Amino acid sequence: MMSEQGWRDFLVAADVGDWVVLHGGATAVFPVSSLRDAVRLADGVTQVPGIDGAGVLITLSDQQVSVRLTRGVEKLEPEHVELARAISAVARRQGVVADRSRAQEVQVAVAARPESVDVGFWRAVLGSCRAG
């Protein structure tokens, strides 16, 4: 879809209350009490039909499982609503309740004239990212 309409439709969809739409895409965070519980939830999420190849990012810690459906708010499509519902259902079956207040995103933008950019510095800061 690659448009504003996709994320607007996601926001008004029924049964996606676990999810927040950040600039980086729709995200849900599920608190857990151990890494074992995080792995169990993540395993359940990986079994949701249609998740393979959908671009979903799952991040685990011993305190939470974070699931992002897309990389970019304008990449949300109708099938992401169904994925969100299915992922939330997996969490509910495991007794895990999403916490919308844990969803966060940080972005950094560097603006400079091309001749002023210290490419070596930014390569060191950003790691393997390619500088312009």
Side-chain angles (χ1 to χ4, degrees):
M1 183 175 287
M2 294 296 287
S3 72
E4 186 175 311
Q5 192 61 48
W7 64 264
R8 289 188 181 279
D9 290 347
F10 191 96
L11 287 174
V12 298
D15 301 323
V16 293
D18 291 345
W19 298 80
V20 298
V21 176
L22 304 171
H23 186 267
T27 301
V29 180
F30 302 95
V32 294
S33 57
S34 70
L35 189 55
R36 183 179 307 270
D37 289 344
V39 170
R40 187 168 57 93
L41 178 55
D43 181 55
V45 169
T46 66
Q47 296 177 44
V48 167
I51 202 157
D52 281 336
V56 173
L57 174 68
I58 303 171
T59 307
L60 309 177
S61 77
D62 59 357
Q63 297 178 351
Q64 67 186 31
V65 175
S66 175
V67 182
R68 187 183 69 208
L69 297 180
T70 63
R71 181 63 192 133
V73 67
E74 292 188 351
K75 294 183 179 180
L76 283 170
E77 298 181 16
E79 57 267 20
H80 291 113
V81 172
E82 294 307 318
L83 281 176
R85 289 175 180 151
I87 291 166
S88 291
V90 167
R92 279 192 305 277
R93 284 193 297 274
Q94 293 188 21
V96 180
V97 178
D99 182 351
R100 291 171 52 97
S101 71
R102 289 188 181 203
Q104 58 185 318
E105 178 178 66
V106 176
Q107 290 190 357
V108 177
V110 178
R113 295 175 189 250
E115 64 275 3
S116 302
V117 175
D118 182 346
V119 174
F121 170 79
W122 287 111
R123 282 190 177 143
V125 169
L126 300 174
S128 63
C129 295
R130 293 185 180 180

